[in-house]
Amino acid sequence: MDPLTWTGSLGSILVPLIVITAAVFLTGLILQLIMGVFAAEVKLQTNADGTLQGRGGLLGRLEKYTGQLFVLLVMLCAAFIVLSWVMPYGDAGILGEISKRFLPVWIALIATFGLSITFKRKLGLYGKLFDSTIGMIGFGLVMFWVFTAIFVGLFDMIATHDPLSQISGIKNKVPGFVVPDAEAEGLYPHYLLGGDNLARDIFSRMVEGSVIVMVIAPLATVFAFMVGITLGLPAGFYGGKLDTTLSFLANLILAFPVILLFYLLVTPEIVATGLPNFLAAFLFIFPLVFFGVLINSRYKTQSRKNILYLAIVLIPLAWLYLSTISAKGSPLYIWPNALDGFDIPGGILVVFVSVVFVNSPTVFRIVRGLTLDIKTRDYVAAAQTRGEGTWYIMLWEILPNARGPLIVDFCLRIGYTTILLGTLGFFGLGLPPESPDWGSTINEGRKLLLIYAHPALPPAIALLSMVLGLNLLADGLREESLKD
Amino acid sequence: MENDTYDGPILEIDKLSISFFTRLREIPAVMDFSAKIMPGEALGIVGESGCGKSTVALGVMQDLGVNGRIVGGSIKFKGQDLNKMTQEELRDIRGSKIAMIYQEPMASLNPAMRIGKQLMEVPMIHEGVSEKEAYDRALEVVTDVKLPDPKRMLDSFPHQLSGGQQQRIVIAMALMSKPSLLILDEPTTALDVTVEAAVVELVKDLGKKYGTSMLFISHNLGLVLETCDRICVMYSGEAVERGSIEDVFDKMQHPYTQALFRSIPLPGADKNARPLIAIPGNFPLPHERPPGCNFGPRCDYFEEGRCDQGYIPMAHADEDHETRCLKFQEIDWNAPISVGAQTEKPEPGRVVLKMDNLKKYYEVAASALFGGKNKKVVKANETLSFEARESETLAIVGESGCGKSTFAKVLMGLETATDGQILLDNKNIESTPIEARDTQTIADVQMVFQNPFDTLNPSMTVGRQIIRALEIFQIGNNDDDRRNRMLELLDLVKLPRAFADRMPRQLSGGQKQRVGIARAFAGDARIVVADEPVSALDVSVQAAVTDLLMEIQREHKTTLLFISHDLSIVRYLADRVMVMYLGHVVELGTTEQVFAPPYHPYTEALLSAVPIADTSIKKKHIVLDGDIPSAMNPPSGCPFQTRCRWKDKAGASLCESQVPPVRVLADGHQVKCHLSDADLAAMEPVIETPIAAE
Amino acid sequence: MGLFILRRLGVMILTALCLTFIVFWLTNLYPNLEKLAKTQGNFRMSDEQVETFLGNRGYTQSLPVKYGQWVGILPGYVIDGTDGETRAKCEAGRTPTEDTPTFCGILQGEWGQSTVFRDEVSTIVGTRLGLTGKLMFWVMMVMVPGALIIGVLAGMREGSRTDRSLSTVSIVSTATPEYVSGVILIAVFATPLFGMQIFKGTATSAMDDANFNNFFLPVITIALYGMGYIARMTRASMTEVMTAQYIRTARLKGVSFPNIVLKHALRNALIAPFTVIMLQFPWLLNGVVIVETLFNYKGFGWTLVQAASNNDIDLLLGVSVVSVFVVLVTQLISDIGYVFLNPRIRIS
């Protein structure tokens, strides 16, 4: 077996084409940007034949050409990906093989986009997302990693090697390096993105890392939202002393430098005191409170329905809650082991808790601000004049109408949480050092960065693309929700 | 290029069409619109919201935003086509030859720039004058718009001025370069009635003084009558009738104009004897316009196969009077109005609600931001006393800050009273907050809100919202019961049952307001507080919603507390009227008593300020000085003494030092004023109706 | 106005007390103290030995007492140790003498001793802060003007191509945390991997002699992340201002487009970003820690990492006090600045 080159035989035609197109496109874009600043406003009129007048002149033509170049660029990249599928092993180079490994993800992506675009008029805000290029790119990036995490985590596809196994002789080796005795041991013949300083496959570690991020980041964000909403609504609605106290506490946490907090909270010593368990017991109670109040305020007038729904929702939640916070050896061992569904390792729990803790005050402030705005509406007054309880007003009259900005912030916040997780990994806090999550792998890679740059780059780019996707998605959602 | 001896029309719009382009479609906003304004002339454009009247104004300014395009026709200003001008040429004209005044004065002024600088900018850009000269000019114009202490005004920031003062500054800014054409887009909508009257007066005077032509855009026919020489009525993007004020008001030639006049409460209309006639149906959305005549589906004279075919041109009804109706020669315009169902005036029943010396004071920190201990007491309601009977309509009239909303809050239990009592069926409720009231009391006293776009929860279906009210009032035994009851309520407010599953955004303003009414009557309310329920609706819808309210009231024997600032509608529907000013009840009596002398001086001014769309009515002209004082800082003595024109007669020192006592003038008619009986008796009626109502 | 500042100061001091107390509590949790005892004494100490070791050095006093001593409102401990030695807090753990002061806390200017660097905490914090100050100065010089220009250009014509391109650039930059951009920048510009080895990958030499070659990468790494955020805020604020009625008034007054932007829009549009820039400081501190670690620039952030990972309690407390103080002062400046920039609030 030969080592793989980056692009294999596709390199000779497609790659130069892509590079040239990209270069011309970028130059055009920059030129257009510079000219755009000084250009006059467009005169808004129609031509004699009824068509709309476009922007004429050099700039107008430039805008047209860059648009076409962008389409060409996308098509060339697509061609590269599709071509690599049908080529025999090795011919398409490293990039081609990676694209081949991601085949299930591509199929899932194509299916998602095809279905969504077909039915976009019936899908509300989600459908409208497919009217905005930015939103579509963002959604694509996010779904790419979501699907990757699903296929890696549930079906064990995509990854070429075990993320923890070390193969001697490929320590710090460059991408495309041949795995010795691969055929004999039934291993994948190359380290596609090279090996790290413990001779583990970087590509496999990168895709495995997506699973960890995809589980913790959204979940932690959900919890932060539960806490922020449950406290932010009454703070904004009642105002007064309650608001002053809660806002003071929120500002207190916000004034705390995040890194310092992490360094103080996420250490083995703190885990030993059981503090994270107490914090978890406090923070994780919020979903129970939230759903309990949500249902109770709505069905208060019909007691039979009320009890039924409360039972359906609260019993499983309570079980989950007790299983989460109670663990053997922790000071909160309050739930018999027989009923305990699962234990969460202390390291993960403390990471989770501190991320929720850091995010909640910001959510609190957003929810509080939205509540202050919405509570002046007449429909809130109407609910008050018919004697609704305050929690009904907060949860059923105010919250649903604050959903637009909250959804946008939710996307942004998942991205921010991903960054925070990476920061923790970067300082080697919380997660075990061999964990393949992106932050930890960047941390490992950066130590030898000036000598071997390749191990740190793939997780860095993966994290970047994922957060970028979430930001673009949020931007697209914001734009589309503001239209009409 | 400049031609000072030009004597043709100042503005000539010919077959103008404007469209807005969205992702989905082209939305025509204005179609085939023509108009002409001669020097010194004022043209009024009247129509309901969404008819394209503001778009015309922006089209003239060539400022249609990113999505707007002029798709046909021409706009000539002094003979030059504005469509063909470059941005530079347009910039020269804007502000110097054509100036514009808009709806919200606060928003039109730069909050971070001193007023003087904003004014001086205009001549400095267009005439290149020195700063000194520009300052002198600004001072002169600010004096012209009758603002007190012009030097200080120029040195202040916009937020330091009241709404009325800000609008005067905007007018001053428009006049800085002595433009030939002034465009006013609903310039007084955000202002209180008495302030509006003063601003309108000012605009008229200045227009004459500077010889400026005006394009006046408004939804208020009365206002156009007072300010304009010619009028153009628009409906759904088209001009439907055009002519001199007299021609259009007295010899209308289009069914829409006729319907419009019949749906507004003019003096003489009466809810029992001569009810208003609402225009049936809804205003068509721009992309759902019918073929042929846009007004066809709502028109009484509609003829199938004729009115719904193709393009309908403007036709000359008379010299200088045009109409866009195919049948205008066939219609008998003088036919008597087929009077709608006349009803018996119901006898008011027993007293259900009694207020006795109700007081509501708030404590407010003197400065919101910097805190501090010195709190101020705001007297939102001062000794309110009245009774309301079953099936009676009591109107509460007043401008902003008069305390009418606070009163509603106290009655509903959202606030508790500071002193005095509220008796509901002889039960005290003044200090029971809404949480402590029993379900029956809550269901008995309900409210209809002002803003139709705010009154319904946007993320819940219409049916769900009504059912929720039923649930909370504990009506119906199960979900099916309540659903049936909800459908009945939709029937009651004359909405199709299919609306139960609609979201509020799919409904028009009038329909939303009907849902709001249905919700208020869900628990068979006996007292309904209607807080300006129709003021945010279009004229043609107002009548329908008002009638609905009256009808339900008759059937349910409801006591209606109708809060409004619009005296026309109050005169039409109220049995008794209570006039409030700065927390005080200044006059209380039956509708006849309040609308005839002797008046309280404030009532007199209010009556005079309300524009009336009837050429035959003569009004006495009373313009109040200044603005309504802030409730935070009320004047000493009589609350109205700072603006009262009768102050000298009663004795200025008396008015300034003592709150006048409540005086009973006739049975059930009381006034809070120091004027002597003789002076009161000498008052003349403000409104003279030459022909008594038939 | 004076009252307003006083009240803000009061809240600020309360916040500072709360935050330092939390840090104090967390660093003084027993497992942390145990670790401290073992690193300072020896690793094979039994539990009882740890107990006496800590007791002799005043660590087993109750938390509020210890906190009071640290702040300097309670007299420093003087303990006759079980090992026969008398130790006083105010004599840095040695036997007290005649001139040993009674109070020795933060208020008296006694920040304690660093166990890792074997030096006065105040001197360490002072020098390190100076180095970070140099870094921050250049970050601000790059970040603020860059962000404001991008934001204003993007926001002045909402929806135009310029807007869309610049907005995308700022989104990309906010999506790139320092540890990602730092790694990528070093890989591209400081290693031979892409053939563009222009800059140095470490900034250790920049501590004494900062130049373009060794200081550009760390500065741009911090600046990039914050730049996007401020640019987006500026853009949002600018687009909002540009759709305001008074901009239309100005346009229809005949003011030219450049003048509309410069004279009418800019001042109103910069009110919001100003507060954002000030509130960026806690975030920037994050970036500083990451970048100083990544580029081995031994400034304040690097010290924080050293103190925290070695459980150097006094140093960590000192670092916390400084960072909390910086954050709170910037918040105060932001509040006051907002009031000054906004005439609507200033005069009312």
Side-chain angles (χ1 to χ4, degrees):
Chain A
M1 270 280 167
D2 296 325
L4 289 179
T5 57
W6 275 102
T7 49
S9 56
L10 279 175
S12 50
I13 327 147
L14 264 181
V15 173
L17 258 179
I18 290 178
V19 171
I20 292 168
T21 322
V24 176
F25 170 68
L26 278 180
T27 334
L29 212 61
I30 291 166
L31 257 178
Q32 187 187 309
L33 203 70
I34 296 166
M35 288 175 69
V37 173
F38 301 104
E41 275 173 277
V42 194
K43 179 103 171 158
L44 303 163
Q45 267 173 31
T46 45
N47 295 327
D49 58 353
T51 53
L52 289 184
Q53 230 172 40
R55 187 201 282 277
L58 194 57
L59 186 58
R61 251 175 293 159
L62 199 63
E63 281 179 356
K64 216 168 81 190
Y65 292 147
T66 46
Q68 289 167 348
L69 272 174
F70 180 71
V71 175
L72 183 68
L73 196 63
V74 170
M75 279 166 58
L76 280 173
C77 292
F80 185 90
I81 291 168
V82 172
L83 273 179
S84 70
W85 297 345
V86 292
M87 294 182 55
Y89 183 83
D91 279 9
I94 298 172
L95 292 178
E97 288 313 316
I98 289 177
S99 141
K100 231 188 258 181
R101 293 303 299 175
F102 278 116
L103 188 62
V105 175
W106 298 127
I107 294 170
L109 271 183
I110 290 166
T112 315
F113 270 77
L115 283 174
S116 305
I117 291 174
T118 320
F119 299 109
K120 70 175 172 185
R121 291 278 161 257
K122 294 176 187 157
L123 291 171
L125 181 60
Y126 169 75
K128 275 198 228 153
L129 191 62
F130 292 87
D131 289 328
S132 122
T133 322
I134 290 280
M136 272 206 289
I137 295 174
F139 183 70
L141 282 171
V142 173
M143 286 322 280
F144 178 87
W145 288 112
V146 170
F147 286 130
T148 306
I150 291 174
F151 285 117
V152 174
L154 296 182
F155 305 108
D156 203 12
M157 292 159 96
I158 302 176
T160 53
H161 294 83
D162 179 66
L164 296 178
S165 72
Q166 308 172 355
I167 297 175
S168 59
I170 349 188
K171 191 171 149 187
N172 288 329
K173 284 295 183 281
V174 292
F177 199 81
V178 182
V179 174
D181 308 321
E183 264 171 87
E185 293 175 39
L187 292 175
Y188 192 82
H190 292 93
Y191 265 18
L192 285 174
L193 291 174
D196 66 4
N197 63 346
L198 291 172
R200 296 170 298 197
D201 179 35
I202 293 171
F203 175 72
S204 305
R205 285 178 70 74
M206 179 185 78
V207 293
E208 288 282 349
S210 71
V211 182
I212 299 173
V213 174
M214 272 301 164
V215 171
I216 297 185
L219 214 58
T221 313
V222 168
F223 275 95
F225 264 74
M226 291 281 169
V227 178
I229 288 171
T230 320
L231 294 178
L233 282 172
F237 190 77
Y238 292 114
K241 290 232 164 59
L242 179 78
D243 183 25
T244 316
T245 317
L246 285 175
S247 295
F248 177 76
L249 287 178
N251 288 336
L252 205 65
I253 302 174
L254 286 176
F256 223 116
V258 179
I259 296 250
L260 188 62
L261 193 71
F262 281 163
Y263 258 114
L264 292 173
L265 268 184
V266 192
T267 58
E269 286 77 33
I270 298 279
V271 176
T273 60
L275 185 68
N277 294 72
F278 288 110
L279 254 181
F282 172 68
L283 290 176
F284 294 174
I285 195 87
F286 280 97
L288 267 95
V289 174
F290 177 81
F291 284 109
V293 176
L294 187 75
I295 294 168
N296 184 47
S297 63
R298 168 78 177 74
Y299 293 105
K300 206 163 51 184
T301 49
Q302 300 147 276
S303 59
R304 200 141 24 97
K305 255 192 209 171
N306 194 9
I307 293 167
L308 177 72
Y309 289 147
L310 277 177
I312 291 178
V313 174
L314 287 190
I315 291 173
L317 274 181
W319 177 76
L320 279 175
Y321 174 71
L322 289 168
S323 300
T324 314
I325 60 156
S326 155
K328 225 178 183 167
S330 90
L332 273 177
Y333 186 44
I334 49 171
W335 190 235
N337 229 1
L339 291 171
D340 202 339
F342 48 87
D343 277 333
I344 294 175
I348 303 255
L349 189 70
V350 72
V351 166
F352 196 88
V353 166
S354 30
V355 171
V356 174
F357 190 70
V358 170
N359 269 323
S360 310
T362 329
V363 181
F364 165 83
R365 291 230 294 213
I366 294 169
V367 175
R368 179 181 166 270
L370 288 168
T371 310
L372 279 176
D373 174 25
I374 296 176
K375 80 167 179 185
T376 59
R377 303 291 164 89
D378 277 351
Y379 53 81
V380 173
Q384 282 177 317
T385 55
R386 61 171 191 262
E388 295 280 11
T390 39
W391 278 104
Y392 177 87
I393 296 176
M394 286 187 249
L395 290 171
W396 291 92
E397 302 276 349
I398 294 178
L399 188 60
N401 297 306
R403 66 179 186 276
L406 287 183
I407 291 173
V408 171
D409 186 70
F410 185 73
C411 290
L412 282 177
R413 204 144 291 284
I414 297 178
Y416 180 57
T417 311
T418 311
I419 292 180
L420 280 183
L421 285 176
T423 312
L424 281 170
F426 181 81
F427 288 109
L429 296 170
L431 296 165
E434 74 278 0
S435 153
D437 74 284
W438 294 334
S440 307
T441 30
I442 293 175
N443 183 33
E444 297 248 318
R446 61 127 178 149
K447 288 172 185 158
L448 294 170
L449 192 61
L450 289 176
I451 313 161
Y452 304 108
H454 68 269
L457 282 180
I461 289 164
L463 192 138
L464 168 61
S465 63
M466 156 101 178
V467 178
L468 178 62
L470 283 162
N471 277 287
L472 292 176
L473 177 65
D475 206 59
L477 281 174
R478 186 190 351 245
E479 198 121 292
E480 293 303 316
S481 67
L482 284 183
K483 279 185 194 167
D484 54 50
Chain B
M1 214 166 128
E2 187 67 30
N3 187 1
D4 279 327
T5 55
Y6 179 80
D7 57 355
I10 292 289
L11 186 73
E12 200 175 4
I13 303 175
D14 189 36
K15 294 198 178 353
L16 176 72
S17 293
I18 297 173
S19 287
F20 287 95
F21 291 84
T22 67
R23 269 183 301 198
L24 301 177
R25 56 175 82 86
E26 173 187 346
I27 297 174
V30 175
M31 294 160 298
D32 189 25
F33 181 89
S34 307
K36 199 191 285 179
I37 303 179
M38 299 305 285
E41 200 178 49
L43 170 73
I45 300 183
V46 174
E48 297 173 78
S49 60
C51 72
K53 54 190 193 301
S54 294
T55 313
V56 171
L58 292 175
V60 173
M61 282 309 226
Q62 299 280 318
D63 187 62
L64 290 166
V66 187
N67 300 320
R69 302 269 197 293
I70 292 170
V71 290
S74 66
I75 308 170
K76 287 206 181 85
F77 175 70
K78 291 190 176 176
Q80 298 163 270
D81 194 343
L82 290 170
N83 287 353
K84 299 209 171 81
M85 284 192 188
T86 63
Q87 291 291 338
E88 282 72 31
E89 289 169 323
L90 280 172
R91 209 153 55 221
D92 282 344
I93 286 185
R94 288 174 183 163
S96 70
K97 310 260 163 48
I98 311 178
M100 190 160 170
I101 295 168
Y102 336 74
Q103 202 166 29
E104 278 179 57
M106 181 68 196
S108 348
L109 293 170
N110 190 337
M113 213 187 232
R114 284 183 202 277
I115 281 165
K117 231 179 140 195
Q118 300 192 41
L119 289 179
M120 284 150 64
E121 205 179 29
V122 181
M124 284 166 79
I125 295 168
H126 293 293
E127 293 156 45
V129 302
S130 71
E131 204 157 319
K132 175 80 185 58
E133 206 183 324
Y135 183 80
D136 293 343
R137 178 95 63 89
L139 209 58
E140 185 189 321
V141 180
V142 170
T143 319
D144 268 358
V145 294
K146 293 176 188 153
L147 278 170
D149 202 354
K151 282 208 169 121
R152 194 179 53 85
M153 283 289 160
L154 289 183
D155 209 32
S156 27
F157 285 102
H159 65 273
Q160 294 168 290
L161 274 56
S162 71
Q165 290 174 329
Q166 284 169 353
Q167 193 60 301
R168 282 165 195 261
I169 290 293
V170 175
I171 293 169
M173 191 151 74
L175 294 174
M176 279 302 280
S177 267
K178 305 202 167 48
S180 341
L181 177 65
L182 188 59
I183 301 177
L184 301 106
D185 187 358
E186 308 250 11
T188 56
T189 310
L191 304 176
D192 274 313
V193 195
T194 51
V195 181
E196 171 185 85
V199 169
V200 167
E201 171 96 354
L202 174 78
V203 167
K204 259 165 49 183
D205 289 352
L206 289 178
K208 280 202 197 93
K209 182 176 170 191
Y210 288 78
T212 312
S213 306
M214 282 193 274
L215 180 62
F216 194 98
I217 292 164
S218 180
H219 65 279
N220 190 329
L221 283 164
L223 214 51
V224 171
L225 168 68
E226 285 188 6
T227 46
C228 298
D229 308 311
R230 297 169 50 78
I231 181 174
C232 174
V233 181
M234 283 188 80
Y235 181 78
S236 193
E238 288 175 330
V240 289
E241 187 165 3
R242 191 162 54 220
S244 68
I245 291 279
E246 291 75 25
D247 280 349
V248 174
F249 274 60
D250 299 333
K251 292 180 277 177
M252 56 199 71
Q253 295 291 323
H254 193 280
Y256 173 63
T257 319
Q258 190 187 41
L260 204 57
F261 274 99
R262 286 179 180 177
S263 67
I264 54 176
L266 295 172
D270 179 90
K271 63 174 166 179
N272 296 310
R274 240 189 79 188
L276 300 180
I277 302 162
I279 306 178
N282 276 312
F283 198 80
L285 292 173
H287 54 275
E288 287 170 359
R289 290 190 180 121
C293 179
N294 283 340
F295 188 60
R298 301 173 75 186
C299 181
D300 289 340
Y301 310 102
F302 181 72
E303 192 179 321
E304 215 172 310
R306 185 167 164 210
C307 292
D308 53 5
Q309 303 293 319
Y311 168 76
I312 296 165
M314 270 310 222
H316 277 274
D318 211 340
E319 195 194 341
D320 206 27
H321 186 183
E322 292 165 275
T323 172
R324 199 183 289 274
C325 181
L326 293 172
K327 299 179 66 182
F328 72 94
Q329 280 155 328
E330 301 154 34
I331 297 170
D332 178 8
W333 296 103
N334 295 319
I337 307 165
S338 59
V339 176
Q342 289 183 344
T343 45
E344 281 296 299
K345 188 177 176 195
E347 271 309 301
R350 65 195 174 85
V351 175
V352 281
L353 183 73
K354 188 170 153 58
M355 299 260 169
D356 193 17
N357 274 325
L358 182 78
K359 285 182 189 164
K360 176 67 193 172
Y361 296 173
Y362 289 101
E363 277 202 348
V364 191
S367 157
L369 179 69
F370 304 129
K373 290 212 173 58
N374 40 345
K375 295 235 169 108
K376 269 192 173 170
V377 174
V378 175
K379 296 177 179 173
N381 286 152
E382 186 73 89
T383 54
L384 230 65
S385 302
F386 67 88
E387 290 174 352
R389 293 163 185 277
E390 197 171 62
S391 48
E392 183 185 46
T393 308
L394 173 68
I396 301 164
V397 180
E399 297 174 274
S400 61
C402 74
K404 52 192 186 194
S405 307
T406 308
F407 152 74
K409 275 187 190 161
V410 175
L411 174 61
M412 302 303 300
L414 299 180
E415 308 264 3
T416 50
T418 312
D419 196 16
Q421 48 183 348
I422 306 175
L423 295 167
L424 177 68
D425 299 330
N426 288 322
K427 243 175 20 199
N428 280 64
I429 56 166
E430 72 278 354
S431 48
T432 327
I434 187 121
E435 302 89 46
R437 291 188 181 180
D438 59 74
T439 312
Q440 194 50 48
T441 314
I442 293 174
D444 275 351
V445 188
Q446 280 295 300
M447 190 156 171
V448 178
F449 293 87
Q450 175 177 16
N451 187 348
F453 300 96
D454 232 22
T455 187
L456 300 182
N457 184 339
S459 40
M460 224 188 253
T461 62
V462 166
R464 187 61 254 140
Q465 305 202 31
I466 299 177
I467 289 179
R468 178 67 199 179
L470 294 170
E471 279 173 9
I472 203 87
F473 295 149
Q474 289 163 7
I475 290 167
N477 299 320
N478 52 39
D479 286 356
D480 289 339
D481 258 15
R482 279 188 284 269
R483 186 162 176 84
N484 284 331
R485 176 85 186 109
M486 179 267 291
L487 293 174
E488 282 167 29
L489 280 167
L490 284 182
D491 295 344
L492 179 73
V493 294
K494 299 188 177 126
L495 285 176
R497 289 189 164 202
F499 273 35
D501 298 319
R502 299 248 178 115
M503 294 306 266
R505 65 179 134 76
Q506 294 165 292
L507 270 58
S508 70
Q511 289 165 341
K512 281 184 203 174
Q513 211 55 327
R514 282 166 191 262
V515 178
I517 293 171
R519 192 177 55 185
F521 280 95
D524 289 320
R526 293 189 302 137
I527 300 172
V528 169
V529 181
D531 187 0
E532 312 233 6
V534 294
S535 66
L537 299 177
D538 275 318
V539 187
S540 69
V541 187
Q542 275 186 8
V545 174
T546 317
D547 278 353
L548 174 75
L549 213 51
M550 298 284 101
E551 198 183 315
I552 301 178
Q553 183 196 19
R554 262 196 301 275
E555 280 167 25
H556 289 67
K557 293 196 186 316
T558 322
T559 310
L560 191 64
L561 300 180
F562 192 91
I563 299 177
S564 179
H565 68 275
D566 183 354
L567 281 176
S568 314
I569 200 131
V570 165
R571 176 204 283 258
Y572 168 68
L573 59 75
D575 300 315
R576 289 199 299 143
V577 179
M578 180 164 101
V579 183
M580 290 182 75
Y581 188 78
L582 280 182
H584 291 262
V585 179
V586 294
E587 185 164 1
L588 174 65
T590 64
T591 311
E592 293 75 33
Q593 287 167 337
V594 172
F595 281 79
Y599 308 105
H600 183 278
Y602 175 61
T603 319
E604 184 193 29
L606 208 54
L607 275 171
S608 156
V610 176
I612 296 170
D614 191 333
T615 48
S616 63
I617 280 179
K618 294 277 172 294
K619 247 182 10 181
K620 225 167 56 185
H621 219 69
I622 304 164
V623 173
L624 291 181
D625 291 332
D627 285 317
I628 304 168
S630 145
M632 296 266 283
N633 206 355
S636 63
C638 174
F640 189 58
Q641 51 103 344
T642 50
R643 302 168 78 197
C644 184
R645 67 177 192 130
W646 294 86
K647 196 164 137 187
D648 296 336
K649 292 216 171 165
S653 62
L654 185 63
C655 291
E656 279 165 24
S657 58
Q658 275 179 43
V659 180
V662 176
R663 291 166 52 190
V664 179
L665 295 181
D667 185 29
H669 187 199
Q670 58 179 60
V671 167
K672 223 182 220 180
C673 187
H674 284 303
L675 277 179
S676 68
D677 286 337
D679 283 329
L680 284 172
M683 278 187 172
E684 291 162 7
V686 176
I687 298 169
E688 280 174 57
T689 331
I691 323 138
E694 303 122 84
Chain C
M1 190 70 204
L3 197 66
F4 165 71
I5 295 178
L6 263 180
R7 278 200 344 166
R8 292 290 320 172
L9 272 174
V11 174
M12 188 180 132
I13 290 167
L14 186 63
T15 315
L17 282 177
C18 289
L19 285 179
T20 46
F21 185 77
I22 293 170
V23 179
F24 197 85
W25 169 61
L26 284 172
T27 44
N28 276 283
L29 282 172
Y30 194 74
N32 279 332
L33 294 177
E34 193 179 338
K35 190 175 154 199
L36 176 90
K38 288 185 174 168
T39 40
Q40 291 212 330
N42 68 66
F43 282 96
R44 294 202 192 82
M45 274 203 264
S46 68
D47 285 355
E48 291 83 59
Q49 281 172 314
V50 168
E51 192 78 22
T52 44
F53 180 90
L54 291 175
N56 288 342
R57 284 160 187 79
Y59 285 113
T60 47
Q61 302 170 87
S62 75
L63 190 67
V65 173
K66 276 195 285 184
Y67 183 69
Q69 292 176 352
W70 175 76
V71 175
I73 48 172
L74 289 180
Y77 63 81
V78 181
I79 295 171
D80 297 317
T82 45
D83 52 356
E85 207 174 323
T86 306
R87 292 182 180 84
K89 175 174 166 57
C90 300
E91 202 53 65
R94 291 185 292 274
T95 320
T97 59
E98 300 259 306
D99 359 298
T100 306
T102 337
F103 295 94
C104 53
I106 295 288
L107 293 179
Q108 284 77 28
E110 295 293 328
W111 295 59
Q113 289 282 326
S114 159
T115 50
V116 178
F117 295 96
R118 311 239 168 249
D119 198 356
E120 286 274 327
V121 168
S122 42
T123 27
I124 301 174
V125 169
T127 41
R128 301 303 175 190
L129 214 50
L131 287 171
T132 298
K134 188 162 76 175
L135 180 65
M136 291 306 291
F137 173 75
W138 287 109
V139 169
M140 283 300 186
M141 292 306 282
V142 175
M143 184 172 79
V144 174
L148 292 184
I149 289 171
I150 291 180
V152 169
L153 285 182
M156 68 185 194
R157 288 204 188 103
E158 194 186 2
S160 68
R161 301 255 178 159
T162 316
D163 175 23
R164 264 180 269 160
S165 323
L166 289 178
S167 295
T168 314
V169 169
S170 29
I171 290 177
V172 173
S173 100
T174 39
T176 323
E178 293 90 350
Y179 54 88
V180 168
S181 52
V183 162
I184 294 177
L185 287 173
I186 291 179
V188 174
F189 293 112
T191 66
L193 199 65
F194 294 87
M196 286 190 284
Q197 200 171 359
I198 309 168
F199 300 108
K200 278 183 89 166
T202 79
T204 319
S205 55
M207 288 194 291
D208 308 318
D209 171 33
N211 55 36
F212 190 64
N213 189 13
N214 59 20
F215 219 39
F216 180 75
L217 284 185
V219 167
I220 204 76
T221 305
I222 304 182
L224 267 183
Y225 189 44
M227 191 142 87
Y229 188 69
I230 301 176
R232 285 176 79 175
M233 283 292 152
T234 316
R235 176 191 174 268
S237 163
M238 188 74 190
T239 48
E240 195 189 316
V241 168
M242 287 305 281
T243 50
Q245 274 272 8
Y246 58 84
I247 295 298
R248 169 175 276 178
T249 311
R251 201 164 56 229
L252 298 190
K253 243 187 329 193
V255 184
S256 66
F257 188 75
N259 273 333
I260 288 180
V261 173
L262 293 175
K263 283 194 187 155
H264 287 264
L266 210 55
R267 165 136 187 210
N268 290 299
L270 287 185
I271 296 173
F274 172 77
T275 39
V276 172
I277 293 172
M278 282 299 152
L279 297 179
Q280 271 296 63
F281 271 89
W283 282 57
L284 284 176
L285 195 72
N286 248 355
V288 166
V289 177
I290 293 173
V291 164
E292 288 185 359
T293 312
L294 189 62
F295 287 89
N296 207 19
Y297 182 82
K298 291 174 179 136
F300 187 72
W302 180 83
T303 315
L304 190 155
V305 173
Q306 295 305 314
S309 41
N310 295 307
N311 202 42
D312 187 344
I313 295 183
D314 280 348
L315 184 56
L316 191 54
L317 282 169
V319 169
S320 312
V321 170
V322 172
S323 45
V324 164
F325 185 72
V326 169
V327 169
L328 292 178
V329 166
T330 47
Q331 278 180 3
L332 186 69
I333 295 176
S334 141
D335 281 351
I336 297 171
Y338 184 75
V339 172
F340 267 101
L341 276 177
N342 199 341
R344 249 180 291 193
I345 294 178
R346 193 176 52 199
I347 314 163
S348 62

